[in-house]
Amino acid sequence: MTQTISLTKGQNISLTKEAPGLTLMAIGLGWDANAFDGNEFDLDASVIMLGADGKARSGDDFIFYSKLTSACGAIVHTGDNTTGEGDGDDETIVVDLTKIPADVQKVVFPVSIYKAKQRSQNFGLVNNAFIRIVNQTSSEEITRYDLTEDYSVETSMIFAELYRHGEEWKFKAVGQGFAGGLGPLAASFGVSV
């Protein structure tokens, strides 16, 4: 069993070097709701595939709870968890590196709070948020990033990104927050929600 590599904000690892032969992975995202006013608390993970210009090539590059599979079949969102209850991964995204089109340079993993404005919710009310990569073949966790900062105004965040670096695939812990929800975040990558 290999040792999980824990990342801090801004750090990256080479998946090609740390997990040679890795082609199929599960991206697990998890969180717990902090004390809140009794409203439901629903976080939604999504995926945006980006070209060399840092923008989605089309609306088909946006994968989320209403469109669970990318057109190329490389990315499959396994479904929406509307409560975040329970231990472990709350939402899982399966990525097949062999199916990602050659002109996709980066894959970002945003998480947004559903109806955040109406419910007066933000990431300051979220505890124990994380993103991790598990090798689907061996079921071993390769890397993990635990978000530890206080995000008191942000209603959506980019947890991490997967990107090409020459012949390698790398994974970077991002932890970048956005105010205004998923719409402004997606728009920054050329996707309208």
Side-chain angles (χ1 to χ4, degrees), residues 64-84:
F64 63 112
Y65 61 85
S66 289
K67 189 179 105 192
L68 296 174
T69 304
S70 64
C72 62
I75 297 172
V76 177
H77 191 309
T78 62
D80 186 19
N81 176 339
T82 60
T83 65

Side-chain angles (χ1 to χ4, degrees), residues 8 113 116 136 142:
T8 58
I113 301 172
Q136 284 284 86
I142 300 166

Side-chain angles (χ1 to χ4, degrees), residues 48 62 178 181-193:
I48 307 172
F62 180 51
F178 282 80
L182 184 59
L185 187 153
S188 72
F189 294 113
V191 176
S192 66
V193 178

Side-chain angles (χ1 to χ4, degrees), residues 153-172:
V153 298
E154 292 83 357
T155 55
S156 62
M157 293 188 63
I158 298 173
F159 274 31
E161 62 188 28
L162 180 66
Y163 65 97
R164 295 180 198 266
H165 182 77
E167 298 299 312
E168 295 179 72
W169 278 104
K170 290 192 170 190
F171 182 76
K172 181 178 181 180

Side-chain angles (χ1 to χ4, degrees), residues 18-191:
E18 296 298 333
L22 177 70
T23 58
L24 192 62
M25 67 182 83
I27 309 288
L29 300 106
W31 52 80
D32 294 319
N34 196 349
F36 56 94
D37 62 7
N39 284 328
E40 291 182 13
F41 204 94
D42 178 12
L43 273 65
D44 295 316
S46 53
V47 182
I48 307 172
M49 296 188 299
L50 308 174
D53 63 354
K55 302 289 184 189
R57 300 166 307 154
S58 74
D60 288 336
D61 287 344
F62 180 51
I63 299 92
F64 63 112
Y65 61 85
S66 289
K67 189 179 105 192
L68 296 174
T69 304
S70 64
C72 62
I75 297 172
V76 177
H77 191 309
T78 62
D80 186 19
N81 176 339
T82 60
T83 65
E85 291 181 7
D87 293 331
D89 300 338
D90 291 313
E91 293 189 13
T92 303
I93 297 158
V94 178
V95 178
D96 185 339
L97 295 174
T98 66
K99 293 182 180 178
I100 295 179
D103 61 340
V104 170
Q105 294 299 307
K106 187 182 290 185
V107 180
V108 295
F109 298 94
V111 176
S112 57
I113 301 172
Y114 182 69
K115 293 188 176 180
K117 187 174 181 180
Q118 297 93 314
R119 297 175 178 169
S120 299
Q121 296 173 339
N122 59 59
F123 272 93
L125 301 172
V126 175
N127 285 331
N128 307 319
F130 68 86
I131 184 169
R132 68 189 191 120
I133 294 181
V134 175
N135 183 329
Q136 284 284 86
T137 306
S138 67
S139 297
E140 289 183 347
E141 184 178 88
I142 300 166
T143 188
R144 178 185 184 98
Y145 169 44
D146 293 299
L147 285 78
T148 55
E149 293 184 37
D150 178 25
Y151 298 96
S152 58
V153 298
E154 292 83 357
T155 55
S156 62
M157 293 188 63
I158 298 173
F159 274 31
E161 62 188 28
L162 180 66
Y163 65 97
R164 295 180 198 266
H165 182 77
E167 298 299 312
E168 295 179 72
W169 278 104
K170 290 192 170 190
F171 182 76
K172 181 178 181 180
V174 176
Q176 178 184 356
F178 282 80
L182 184 59
L185 187 153
S188 72
F189 294 113
V191 176

